Amino acid sequence: MKPVRMGVLGCADIALRRMLPAMAASPHTEVTAVASRDGVTATAVAREYGCRAVRGYAGILEREDVDAVYVPLPAALHADWVEAALRAGKHVLAEKPLTTDAARTAELVELARGQGLALMENLLFLHHHQHARVDRLLAEGAVGRLTSLHAAFCVPGFRANDIRYRPDLGGGALWDVGVYPLRVAVRFLGPDLEVAGAILTRGPDREVDTAGAVLLRAADGVAVQLTFGVEHTYRSAYELRGGNGELALDRAFTPPADHRPVLRLRPQGGAGQDILLEPDDQVANTVTAFVEAVRTRAAPAKEILVLARLLEEVRHAAG
């Protein structure tokens, strides 16, 4: 089967560090063109991957040798370029969040469905096998009836001129790291989550939120506490607690491909157990999942809309 021919709209850090190497290494994808506003940057990146350089993003969408596009642009630019790509007949893998507006997200999901095109929101952690092992342990009753979920994703600060500090480009902790704990709550508890409260705070001299906390309520009564921030010590973890114990996972969202995950199972009143898992490459897995969506013309995941709703409700709750 022929590889999916990929065009890349922008040379963001995540594209250079993660996605381009993974797409180039996969037998299922071929990087055919890379675009940048700066022709020099596009040429340098294209030379490294043996593909064509395009100055300006629109040129990628006009190419007949591009089946699908990857969109790693700033969050505020996603909606327009994802729409343009879909209208040009291209499948789309877009960085999270898909957009910064729930109504626009719904429009794009409907457009992709109507066009029969794949549209995937790039949350890499969803494609790591460690979470499936957590599923099995929960199903086996390892912690008893689930009562709460706690998740955190915090990272150190960025350079002063980083785009994630710019409100006009969709910067801020919620869009950058808050999506992860919100999405893991949906991953384990399903779509019927209600925002019970939220706060978003700004660091000194910042124009965007740099930290936040969210309280969710699941339909079955499970309590959810989430924290996130971009000027913190690194933290990437979640804990699932039940009547009979708790299950915890570190490096939950950004494990390197050679990392061996450790699930910490602590039964109530019993000896704890550390469960060592094999490494897994969530970036390569994501590329494979996107290719499958393209080849089957899979409809966009319903969870895209759930996450968009929760993000909007968090903003509203935080005032």
Side-chain angles (χ1 to χ4, degrees):
M1 191 172 292
K2 292 182 179 180
V4 174
R5 299 171 297 177
M6 298 293 305
V8 180
L9 271 65
C11 299
D13 181 64
I14 190 170
L16 300 180
R17 287 190 302 108
R18 298 284 188 88
M19 300 307 297
L20 270 166
M23 288 187 288
S26 172
H28 307 298
T29 53
E30 176 187 349
V31 181
T32 57
V34 174
S36 174
R37 293 175 302 168
D38 180 351
V40 174
T41 299
T43 298
V45 175
R47 185 182 300 116
E48 181 176 355
Y49 289 96
C51 64
R52 298 163 186 82
V54 179
R55 182 172 183 177
Y57 308 133
I60 287 277
L61 306 183
E62 299 167 358
R63 299 192 66 91
E64 294 185 359
D65 60 353
V66 170
D67 305 312
V69 296
Y70 166 55
V71 183
L73 298 171
L77 303 182
H78 288 182
D80 289 346
W81 285 107
V82 169
E83 179 178 2
L86 292 172
R87 293 196 182 282
K90 312 298 185 186
H91 304 276
V92 179
L93 173 64
E95 273 306 318
K96 49 73 190 170
L98 182 63
T99 82
T100 56
D101 178 84
R104 283 290 276 143
T105 294
E107 290 173 1
L108 295 177
V109 166
E110 189 59 33
L111 177 60
R113 286 174 177 163
Q115 299 273 63
L117 295 169
L119 174 61
M120 182 182 291
E121 189 172 32
N122 195 30
L123 281 155
L124 298 170
F125 83 91
L126 294 172
H127 303 281
H128 197 290
H129 70 189
Q130 60 189 353
H131 313 295
R133 183 60 179 276
V134 172
D135 284 334
R136 291 197 294 274
L137 288 167
L138 294 176
E140 292 165 2
V143 302
R145 185 182 70 83
L146 195 62
T147 56
S148 68
L149 182 153
H150 305 254
F153 192 28
C154 301
V155 298
F158 312 122
R159 294 181 309 241
N161 63 346
D162 193 282
I163 62 170
R164 286 166 288 191
Y165 289 134
R166 289 182 53 178
D168 59 316
L169 293 179
L174 178 61
W175 301 130
D176 190 56
V177 293
V179 294
Y180 291 87
L182 279 167
R183 185 62 181 85
V184 87
V186 176
R187 165 70 175 74
F188 286 110
L189 301 177
D192 297 324
L193 292 167
E194 175 187 347
V195 176
I199 59 172
L200 296 172
T201 58
R202 296 182 184 180
D205 303 318
R206 298 299 184 203
E207 297 182 81
V208 297
D209 52 285
T210 54
V214 178
L215 180 63
L216 303 176
R217 181 188 300 110
D220 59 0
V222 176
V224 182
Q225 297 179 4
L226 313 174
T227 56
F228 50 90
V230 296
E231 294 184 338
H232 296 60
T233 56
Y234 181 81
R235 179 73 170 150
S236 172
Y238 61 74
E239 298 176 0
L240 294 152
R241 298 174 183 170
N244 297 335
E246 64 180 44
L247 182 61
L249 175 66
D250 286 327
R251 303 303 295 268
F253 303 119
T254 57
D258 60 355
H259 172 69
R260 298 198 69 183
V262 179
L263 300 179
R264 301 193 311 278
L265 179 60
R266 301 291 182 264
Q268 180 70 30
Q273 178 185 6
D274 287 348
I275 303 170
L276 184 64
L277 306 182
E278 291 300 315
D280 196 25
D281 188 340
Q282 63 185 27
V283 186
N285 293 348
T286 298
V287 172
T288 300
F290 179 64
V291 168
E292 178 65 17
V294 169
R295 289 177 174 168
T296 62
R297 293 186 173 266
K302 295 178 181 179
E303 289 82 359
I304 292 176
L305 298 176
V306 177
L307 181 59
R309 172 183 64 81
L310 289 172
L311 286 166
E312 187 166 275
E313 291 178 1
V314 167
R315 282 281 182 202
H316 179 74

